[in-house]
Amino acid sequence: MADIQTIVVLTGAGISAESGLATFRGPEGLWEGRRVEEICTPEALFADRELVLDFYDQRRRALATVEPNAGHRALAWLDQHWPGELLIVTQNVDDLHERAGAQRVLHMHGELLSALCSACGARGGFAGDMIGGPRCAVCGQDALRPDIVFFGEMPYEMERIEALLTRADLFVSIGTSGAVYPAAGFVQGARQAGADTLELNLEPSAGSHHFHETRIGPASVLVPAWVEELIAEG
Ligand code: APR
């Protein structure tokens, strides 16, 4: 891969799996017998607010018990040393990329450690539980919800991501099943715009055939090996 300047990395739940956070669509991906597509929706929040808040309260608590793994650390190292343009677009709502030391991170599906006020739209850092938690500090309403992009809502910063994909030299997808759009379509956009495309995943994803290359294995092994290779080639 010659002459790489601009790199877009897409990460999904698979990169955090070895840290101990459950993926969404694996055998342990169900939550109280329900599919995430039934819980993570504006309709579910309206119909059963406690159920939805509890789902995310539990995930926020789990964050305190886990640490970044070798996959996060390798990406953070790359972020700190890559002289060209680089963006880690993550579908993950955990903060493990940042805790590993990465800075060029975009959370397209939002963040567990952020709250959004359904009443006034204010957002800000949040720790603790939302059930029985505080009111909005800006408008005073009891209307805080997780700052998470639910199914049916628009992911964050799509224009910025799409602009970068059109000038990417390399697009790398790590630990994502390719089941959820628009992220699942990034590979096609990047490839059409001329990027080399590489998938690192435990199994071939739904869109594996769109990639120039797919490597199968755990992110904690594949990501450090790829970063090393990239630096050696550069
Ligand atoms: N290393 C690499 N890949 C792994 C590992 C691992 N250790 N463990 C699991 N995987 C792979 C699985 O094989 C699967 O293909 O990671 C992928 C995880 O897929 P999903 O659970 O569907 O997670 P993700 O693709 O991030 O989901 C996308 O769906 O529910 C929504 O908003 C949520 O951001 C999430 C989106």
Side-chain angles (χ1 to χ4, degrees):
M1 287 187 234
D3 222 10
I4 297 168
Q5 310 256 339
T6 301
I7 303 175
V8 179
V9 177
L10 172 70
T11 65
I15 197 168
S16 296
E18 289 166 87
S19 292
L21 296 177
T23 59
F24 291 94
R25 292 175 184 79
E28 293 158 23
L30 290 180
W31 192 74
E32 296 197 351
R34 298 184 201 217
R35 296 166 62 228
V36 284
E37 286 86 348
E38 294 172 56
I39 299 168
C40 313
T41 68
E43 293 79 14
L45 185 68
F46 183 74
D48 193 345
R49 192 162 180 265
E50 290 240 327
L51 173 91
V52 177
L53 296 189
D54 187 32
F55 176 76
Y56 287 107
D57 280 352
Q58 289 192 31
R59 286 181 177 250
R60 201 176 299 104
R61 282 184 203 168
L63 264 193
T65 68
V66 300
E67 296 290 337
N69 64 54
H72 300 104
R73 287 196 296 274
L75 282 185
W77 189 93
L78 181 65
D79 176 37
Q80 286 158 11
H81 293 86
W82 186 253
E85 212 170 0
L86 177 142
L87 187 63
I88 300 168
V89 179
T90 187
Q91 299 167 89
N92 297 344
V93 295
D94 65 55
D95 63 344
L96 294 180
H97 285 306
E98 288 88 345
R99 276 203 260 154
Q103 293 189 339
R104 291 181 275 184
V105 182
L106 189 163
H107 285 270
M108 65 177 290
H109 290 170
E111 295 176 71
L112 279 170
L113 298 179
S114 177
L116 169 67
C117 177
S118 309
C120 74
R123 54 166 50 98
F126 184 88
D129 287 347
M130 284 201 174
I131 294 186
R135 289 169 173 266
C136 173
V138 176
C139 73
Q141 299 254 28
D142 187 14
L144 290 187
R145 58 164 271 186
D147 188 6
I148 303 276
V149 176
F150 291 152
F151 287 98
E153 295 180 329
M154 184 63 85
Y156 292 145
E157 302 205 52
M158 281 306 297
E159 280 181 20
R160 183 177 159 210
I161 296 169
E162 277 163 4
L164 202 58
L165 285 172
T166 62
R167 55 175 195 275
D169 302 305
L170 176 61
F171 172 77
V172 185
S173 172
I174 304 168
T176 175
S177 59
V180 175
Y181 282 82
F186 289 172
V187 58
Q188 286 157 280
R191 191 170 174 160
Q192 272 162 21
D196 248 308
T197 55
L198 171 66
E199 172 171 70
L200 309 177
N201 210 43
L202 202 54
E203 59 191 352
S205 70
S208 245
H209 55 286
H210 293 303
F211 289 85
H212 289 100
E213 189 188 350
T214 292
R215 298 180 190 173
I216 299 298
S220 65
V221 175
L222 293 186
V223 180
W226 164 67
V227 168
E228 217 169 281
E229 188 184 303
L230 183 71
I231 295 302
E233 280 174 4

